[in-house]
Amino acid sequence: MSTEVKVLSTSTRTNLEALKHHMKKLGFKYYETRNGWVTFGTQLMLGEKRVSPSNCISIMIRFMDLHVDVDDFSLICKLPEVKQAILDFYEAEGISDED
């Protein structure tokens, strides 16, 4: 577990665990929390001398921001469910798009 996760509040850690569980059911693995970003992906790939997740979805846990890089059609079809899981996380955290 990274240092970032250790300093999160208990409620945020609980909400993050719920998001991880939901994303796992949708076929995404949790990879890391770094600089306030949580990253999910389907597999690791090597590129430009670094290892990074492919079919990647990253969310900012402090405010509403999202990055999606998905090129697998079976995963693209799941994006509405992914969006809802992320919105549920933000709602549980009390974060709105107006923040």
Side-chain angles (χ1 to χ4, degrees):
M1 192 181 247
S2 72
T3 304
E4 177 86 23
V5 173
K6 290 179 184 176
V7 298
L8 296 175
S9 70
T10 302
S11 64
T12 298
R13 283 194 307 258
T14 301
N15 294 334
L16 186 55
E17 287 303 316
L19 178 61
K20 287 183 199 179
H21 178 72
H22 198 124
M23 293 295 283
K24 183 178 180 181
K25 289 191 323 186
L26 295 172
F28 292 90
K29 298 173 188 166
Y30 170 76
Y31 281 100
E32 64 182 283
T33 303
R34 183 177 53 194
N35 299 325
W37 286 89
V38 177
T39 303
F40 299 92
T42 56
Q43 61 187 358
L44 287 177
M45 58 185 282
L46 181 63
E48 300 177 14
K49 298 182 182 180
R50 65 185 180 108
V51 178
S52 61
S54 65
N55 291 308
C56 175
I57 295 176
S58 298
I59 71 160
M60 170 57 74
I61 58 176
R62 295 188 183 112
F63 56 88
M64 193 172 275
D65 201 1
L66 172 68
H67 170 79
V68 178
D69 183 14
V70 177
D71 60 8
D72 180 333
F73 187 73
S74 66
L75 294 174
I76 291 171
C77 293
K78 294 180 181 180
L79 286 179
E81 291 177 77
V82 168
K83 176 184 172 185
Q84 189 58 54
I86 293 169
L87 287 174
D88 290 347
F89 170 81
Y90 286 140
E91 182 179 339
E93 285 294 298
I95 300 170
S96 70
D97 57 356
E98 297 161 359
D99 290 341

